[in-house]
């Protein structure tokens, strides 16, 4: 495995963790006056995961 492959695997893990965490923790909680469903909670986690994953790739070059 070269360095690029390892960076990509780390970025995938960094993306997946917030998606799983938000899917478990956020459903039926209110954010901005709206009660979130599981798919909505997963999409919030996906946005967070994209920011973290892409940020990691940009930071490491």
């Amino acid at each position: 495995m070269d360095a690029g492959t390892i960076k990509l695997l780390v970025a995938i893990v960094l993306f997946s963790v917030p998606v799983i965490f938000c899917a478990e923790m956020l459903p039926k909680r209110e954010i901005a006056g709206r009660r979130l469903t599981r798919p909505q909670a997963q999409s919030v986690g996906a946005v967070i995961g994209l920011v973290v994953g892409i940020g990691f790739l940009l930071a490491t070059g």
Side-chain angles (χ1 to χ4, degrees):
M1 291 177 111
D2 62 344
T5 305
I6 293 171
K7 287 179 190 176
L8 184 59
L9 289 173
V10 171
I12 290 170
V13 169
L14 289 174
F15 169 78
S16 300
V17 169
V19 174
I20 294 168
F21 181 75
C22 288
E24 296 299 322
M25 300 302 291
L26 291 182
K28 300 181 182 173
R29 297 200 186 226
E30 287 191 20
I31 294 180
R34 292 191 54 166
R35 188 170 283 254
L36 293 179
T37 63
R38 185 174 176 91
Q40 290 170 333
Q42 286 175 326
S43 64
V44 169
V47 170
I48 295 168
L50 281 172
V51 169
V52 172
I54 292 173
F56 168 76
L57 289 175
L58 289 174
T60 58

